[in-house]
Amino acid sequence: TLLNLVLSHGLFYGGAAQFAAGMWEFATGNTFGASAFTSYGAFWISLAAFTWALEGGLYAAPAEIDLALYFLTWGIFTVLIWIITFRLNKALVTVFTLVVALFFLLAIGEYSVAAHKLAGYVGIVCGFVALYTGWAILLNDTWKGEFLPLGAFATPIPVAEKA
């Protein structure tokens, strides 16, 4: 079914592949990439496993508050990650701004059809912005230049020297 296709994609590409990418980022010393990829990989694995188990009848449907709290928790975590993006580039700020909006809309969407539908649209826009951002990072790094702009900050936030 279409649901199984989407869930397997979420489990393996959104989940396992992102989780593995996080481990590789950790190995290179990229704390932001490690934290983001590993965390969101785990998110997709947990969401896919939860949905598959639910659809398979392993347990009763959760109450609205259960999923609302699940998405709210991820929204709060994403706000913390979003703050860090202001040290990186405007493209990542945009991606994570949309992810923050998406998680909060999904939480509200447990009680509102309109918010749930809006979350779908925000998710689609977020996907396209993330696709551009990922492509720009890959292209610019591989070709050793800025071929697709990421929106560098004009004045970087100063970093304290280590003692």
Side-chain angles (χ1 to χ4, degrees):
T1 67
L2 179 59
L3 177 63
N4 287 331
L5 178 64
V6 170
L7 289 176
S8 61
H9 186 79
L11 180 61
F12 291 102
Y13 189 75
Q18 276 196 69
F19 193 88
M23 294 297 102
W24 291 315
E25 289 294 318
F26 179 75
T28 66
N30 181 354
T31 307
F32 176 81
S35 300
F37 282 122
T38 304
S39 296
Y40 293 110
F43 163 79
W44 281 110
I45 291 168
S46 72
L47 184 62
F50 168 79
T51 304
W52 246 329
L54 179 64
E55 291 298 316
L58 293 179
Y59 47 80
E64 291 170 334
I65 189 69
D66 298 333
L67 284 175
L69 288 174
Y70 176 75
F71 291 127
L72 179 64
T73 301
W74 278 101
I76 292 167
F77 171 78
T78 303
V79 167
L80 300 175
I81 294 291
W82 172 77
I83 292 167
I84 297 166
T85 64
F86 284 90
R87 294 270 309 148
L88 302 172
N89 60 61
K90 294 174 185 174
L92 283 171
V93 170
T94 303
V95 169
F96 282 91
T97 298
L98 291 166
V99 176
V100 166
L102 178 58
F103 277 122
F104 288 126
L105 284 168
L106 285 170
I108 296 166
E110 288 301 310
Y111 300 97
S112 164
V113 173
H116 195 83
K117 189 173 185 175
L118 181 58
Y121 290 119
V122 169
I124 291 168
V125 172
C126 181
F128 281 114
V129 174
L131 183 64
Y132 171 85
T133 302
W135 173 245
I137 291 168
L138 181 62
L139 180 72
N140 294 347
D141 184 60
T142 303
W143 287 4
K144 307 297 182 220
E146 186 176 10
F147 299 95
L148 291 176
L150 291 165
F153 290 107
T155 307
I157 300 169
V159 177
E161 293 290 325
K162 291 185 178 180

